[in-house]
Amino acid sequence: KLFTEFILKVPQGRLVKQKLDCLIDIVHSDLFTHHDCREILLPLMTEQLKSHLEKQEELRACCQLLSDIMEVLYRKDVVRNTTLQHNVLHFPPGYRKI
């Protein structure tokens, strides 16, 4: 929850690349493999992705973040306590068609 608050306090349009890099690092951390943490982090990440993609900001970093999220969600050791479908529900409707 602290990490979510931290990311949300960064003003929009400022430090976009750094913020996305930070989110990418979190996806690769043990924190993101825990279901309870992912329940909090995934909605934040998808909202950030949606916002930056709509504004066409840092598209390479956005693609990297989305790719890394999907990679982790498909790992069997990560989704053993939940289903992939449950995790994908956090994605905005347009992303669910991917």
Side-chain angles (χ1 to χ4, degrees), residues 1 4 31-46 73 81-83 85-90:
K1 289 181 181 179
T4 301
L31 192 63
F32 197 69
T33 63
H34 296 282
H35 174 73
D36 294 339
C37 294
R38 203 169 46 253
E39 286 284 311
I40 295 168
L41 292 168
L42 200 51
L44 166 76
M45 291 178 176
T46 57
L73 292 181
N81 294 327
T82 186
T83 65
Q85 291 81 8
H86 177 77
N87 287 310
V88 172
L89 287 176
H90 292 294

Side-chain angles (χ1 to χ4, degrees), residues 45-90:
M45 291 178 176
T46 57
E47 279 302 314
Q48 291 293 312
L49 272 170
K50 182 179 181 219
S51 172
H52 296 305
L53 286 170
E54 287 175 348
K55 296 174 188 170
Q56 296 191 1
E57 298 174 320
E58 298 295 339
L59 296 177
R60 185 177 301 258
C62 287
C63 289
Q64 184 66 52
L65 177 58
L66 182 57
S67 175
D68 291 353
I69 289 170
M70 295 305 292
E71 183 179 309
V72 171
L73 292 181
Y74 272 94
R75 285 180 22 202
K76 291 185 190 300
D77 62 316
V78 172
V79 294
R80 69 174 175 252
N81 294 327
T82 186
T83 65
L84 179 61
Q85 291 81 8
H86 177 77
N87 287 310
V88 172
L89 287 176
H90 292 294

